[in-house]
Structure formats: C-alpha cells, structure tokens
Amino acid sequence: MPLFHTSSDEEIKRAATTDIYFIRTEEILKAKKLDKISVVADVTASGLPNNWPWGVLCGVEEEAKLFEGIPVDVYSMPEGTIFTPEDFRGFRVPVMVIEGAYGAFCLYETPMLGLACQASGVATQAARVRKAADEKMLLSFGIRRMHPALSPMLDRATYIGGFDGVSSLSGAKAIGGDPTGTMPHALIIMLGDQVKAWKAFDQIVEKNVPRVALVDTYFDEKIEAIMVAKALGKRLAGVRLDTPSSRKGNFAEIVKEVRWELDLRGFKNVKIFVSGGLNEETVKALSAAGAEGFGVGTSVSNAPTIDFAMDIIEKQGKPCAKRGKIGGKKQVWRCEKCMIEILQPFRKNHVSCPKCGGKTFPMLLPLVKNGRIVTKLPKPKDIRDYVLRQLGNVQLEKC
Ligand SMILES: [Zn+2]
C-alpha cells in the first residue's frame, strides 16, 4: 500500500483515476463494436472564475505525457497561452482538441481535465498577481496549504504565471532553478533573541543567499527593522514583514513607517518584503505603499480551477455537438496585437484580424500525433517569458 493518498504515475497513465461511467461507456462501446469510431473532441471553458476576463493555459506538458503512447492526435494551444473562453463573436474557443477512435481515449477525459483545470487556475491567478505587482519581486509561498504531492505542479504553474521564484525544493526542481526563502519565526524563537537569530543566519547560511530578516516576531516591525539594520549593516538586503492579518491593522501604513525609519538611518537599499495572506488586491495596495517584494501563498496555490469540459463535436467526419456546444473540428486564429481570437472551421485558411486587419496565427498546434509527442516541450522559463509577453496586452478587469 502506498503511504499517502495519491495516485502513482503508472495509475494515472492507465486511467485508474477515471470516473466509473467512462469504464462502463467503454465496455458498452466494445460490446456493440462502436469503440473504433473516429471522433473529434473539443476542450473548452464555459466561463472563468471570479469574472476573470482571460485565463493562462497550463498543464500542456503533462497532457502530452498523458497521451503519449495512446493512438490519438492532440492539438493544443501552446502552454502559457493567455486565452479568452469565447472568441470575439462569443463562440466558445477550444484550447485543446483530441482526435481518434473514441474507445482509445474515452477513459482519459477525467485525468486530462484534471491536469489542465487546476494548473490553469493557479497559473491564471499567479499572472493576475504578477500584473498587480508590476515588476516587483514575487515568491511562491503557497505549497504548504496543499497536498505535498502537488507541490511541483503548483510551484511550476505559479512560476509560469510570472512569479520570480518558489520556496519549495520540489518546486524549484520542477522549474529548473534554486529555491528562494528567508527565515521562519521558528528560527527567532529557537535562538531566543531576534539579534542572535539574524546574526546566526548571517554567520551560517551561504554568502550568496540574500540576508532578508524577519522583523515582526516579538516587537513592533519598525523597532525590529531598525534593530536588524544596525546588527547586519550593509549585509542586510531586506526585511520581511509577515504580520498575521489579526494584528496587521493598516498594513500599508506599517510598510510606509518601516520604509521611512530605514531611509532616515541610511538604509535606503534595504528592501521591504511582505507576506502573510496576500492576494492580488493587497499586493497592489502594499506595492503602492512601498513594499518591493511579496511572498504570496494560499490565494495562488488554492486558486479556483478553470472548469474545462471535453465534448465530442464531430463523429466520422460529421458535426455532432450536443445542445449548447458547436459542431465540427475547428481552428482558433489569434491576433497577437489585439489579443483577439477568431473561431473558424478547421480547414478554413488564414483570416485577418477583425479589429486591426492584421495577420492572425493558428493557435491549435499539433502536440501528439498517433501517440508520439511531435513538438518540443518548452522549458518553464520560456513558457513564463511567453506569459509575460502577452500579459502586457491584457487588463485585469473586463473592459
Ligand atoms: Zn488585431
């Protein structure tokens, strides 16, 4: 028996996490010799949580690994694509298309949705925090609130959404970087004295790790910030305020006060980092108050999922969509400049942007061909760069 309540790679690959009704469907189709019928299925979202105007597609690499070895063709928007659930006329936009004998992939609907829905929700929330923080430092602190088996996925999605670093070892491995962090209250408590703890950190931790001291353990943030600036002098890179919301009062005022007192004593280069229950609104407000770095946790790791659904929309080459969905295999064309999507039947050629008249590009690109991954899966850093490039062309709220 496994130690933890998680599925292994092998169980996920053989669809052991699927819903029972797909097992029964497969059984019936096989008995009736209908399992070899070829279909095309769209993956679409009917809307986005919290009235978000756009989402960030994440989980595509895992989809490629899921469908590898299964005799189907998969087309997908590239990982990190900022998509709107509907095109400019209000037609639902597929972010992914699966084509093949239905019996070959019927069982995979459950795991394929799970891989895209959660990672995309996290990446979207992370991108929104990135937009709210402008260029300031963002660190992912949220994996402690989620099942540890998911930490690589959560930290990767958060990084792809535009965060600068992640706190967990497993997340850092997933993004191909080093983990980033400061010090916990436990360190101060165990050393019994703030100054002793900061000095011990400075003495023992590798020199290339920036000295960012936690300054709200026993005294007021302002007092402790001055204490650590005097104790570490020029080696102090920053102070972190992790005040729990119950004691915060006006947190922006505390940030401003600490900034003033540090500046007054010649510590203008000491950056103020804040953490503890932050979200896209508080990051924006605290950034305006002078905070230069943020540790954001649960609001991102526990982001709402994007509820993608998979629907068969073509059977044996004929449109067959259920009510509420539109039929036939499709392509999504996008104008990068206007961030407009145009839904077209698959075989239609290039269309011009309805807004600027400029060139558009097809977004659903081959990912898997007859069970073989046919595209180079980009590195997390390149996916993050792609997200950041698009983020400049979208707004946080619906216009
Ligand atoms: Zn355009």
Side-chain angles (χ1 to χ4, degrees):
M1 281 296 284
L3 289 179
F4 303 108
H5 298 301
T6 52
S7 302
S8 65
D9 282 4
E10 180 271 327
E11 285 170 310
I12 297 169
K13 274 295 278 182
R14 66 177 161 83
T17 67
T18 197
D19 294 302
I20 183 66
Y21 70 173
F22 290 125
I23 301 276
R24 290 175 183 146
T25 300
E26 188 191 46
E27 189 187 351
I28 296 162
L29 293 180
K30 277 185 176 163
K32 298 285 180 188
K33 302 205 174 351
L34 297 172
D35 58 308
K36 301 278 191 311
I37 289 180
S38 70
V39 301
V40 182
D42 275 357
V43 178
T44 61
S46 59
L48 297 174
N50 301 334
N51 217 20
W52 291 339
W54 43 265
V56 176
L57 180 65
C58 195
V60 176
E61 180 180 305
E62 286 182 301
E63 298 291 5
K65 301 276 172 69
L66 180 71
F67 286 111
E68 190 174 20
I70 297 167
V72 292
D73 296 344
V74 181
Y75 300 80
S76 176
M77 290 188 179
E79 186 148 28
T81 295
I82 293 186
F83 67 94
T84 51
E86 293 177 348
D87 84 343
F88 78 108
R89 295 161 297 184
F91 290 123
R92 250 188 216 221
V93 163
V95 296
M96 210 174 282
V97 169
I98 301 152
E99 193 172 10
Y102 184 63
F105 70 96
C106 159
L107 302 185
Y108 288 88
E109 179 166 338
T110 311
M112 83 74 56
L113 291 175
L115 292 175
C117 291
Q118 188 176 17
S120 298
V122 170
T124 305
Q125 183 61 78
R128 293 182 61 84
V129 176
R130 164 49 67 208
K131 189 101 184 141
D134 288 322
E135 311 272 293
K136 292 186 175 176
M137 165 79 83
L138 287 175
L139 300 178
S140 171
F141 280 4
I143 56 121
R144 64 181 53 191
R145 298 274 145 62
M146 297 290 133
H147 196 292
L150 298 183
S151 65
M153 181 280 284
L154 294 168
D155 269 347
R156 177 182 180 273
T158 305
Y159 174 75
I160 282 174
F163 274 45
D164 298 291
V166 304
S167 63
S168 79
L169 308 188
S170 49
K173 199 172 154 197
I175 66 168
D178 293 320
T180 317
T182 62
M183 62 182 69
H185 288 112
L187 177 72
I188 317 263
I189 294 167
M190 290 309 290
L191 272 282
D193 174 291
Q194 303 94 317
V195 178
K196 269 191 201 158
W198 299 324
K199 285 191 167 167
F201 186 97
D202 188 35
Q203 183 199 347
I204 291 165
V205 174
E206 310 91 279
K207 295 290 167 231
N208 62 338
V209 174
R211 272 51 185 153
V212 178
L214 185 58
V215 293
D216 60 5
T217 310
Y218 288 123
F219 305 158
D220 180 76
E221 294 83 354
K222 174 165 70 176
I223 307 292
E224 288 202 10
I226 297 165
M227 280 165 65
V228 71
K230 285 185 175 159
L232 298 195
K234 285 199 176 344
R235 291 193 306 285
L236 182 66
V239 292
R240 175 162 77 96
L241 283 55
D242 183 57
T243 314
S245 54
S246 60
R247 300 182 74 98
K248 252 174 211 160
N250 189 335
F251 202 28
E253 283 301 317
I254 298 174
V255 169
K256 281 197 256 179
E257 218 177 283
V258 171
R259 180 75 274 156
W260 176 269
E261 299 295 337
L262 285 172
D263 288 356
L264 195 64
R265 288 164 178 80
F267 296 104
K268 279 191 196 294
N269 57 324
V270 172
K271 290 186 165 21
I272 299 178
F273 289 84
V274 290
S275 57
L278 301 182
N279 57 35
E280 59 179 80
E281 284 89 25
T282 49
V283 161
K284 203 173 176 68
L286 294 170
S287 176
E292 285 152 295
F294 306 87
V296 186
T298 316
S299 71
V300 173
S301 65
N302 190 38
T305 63
I306 293 185
D307 293 356
F308 290 116
M310 189 175 116
D311 293 278
I312 301 173
I313 42 78
E314 189 173 298
K315 197 171 85 179
Q316 290 174 308
K318 300 229 160 48
C320 67
K322 71 173 189 184
R323 51 206 284 255
K325 303 285 163 101
I326 53 176
K329 189 177 172 183
K330 307 163 197 87
Q331 179 57 276
V332 181
W333 297 81
R334 140 94 57 100
C335 170
E336 287 276 333
K337 202 174 102 199
C338 307
M339 292 295 273
I340 273 184
E341 287 158 345
I342 307 120
L343 191 68
Q344 288 281 94
F346 190 73
R347 269 166 249 291
K348 278 269 170 81
N349 277 330
H350 154 261
V351 283
S352 301
C353 171
K355 200 168 165 190
C356 72
K359 206 165 176 217
T360 63
F361 297 90
M363 295 302 289
L364 293 168
L365 307 173
L367 180 69
V368 170
K369 196 94 193 149
N370 196 23
R372 207 165 56 80
I373 299 174
V374 290
T375 185
K376 194 169 169 288
L377 298 169
K379 290 189 168 50
K381 188 190 172 303
D382 297 328
I383 304 172
R384 177 181 181 273
D385 289 347
Y386 173 48
V387 172
L388 294 178
R389 279 201 305 278
Q390 300 163 88
L391 215 48
N393 294 337
V394 294
Q395 301 304 319
L396 278 178
E397 308 305 332
K398 281 183 178 153
C399 318

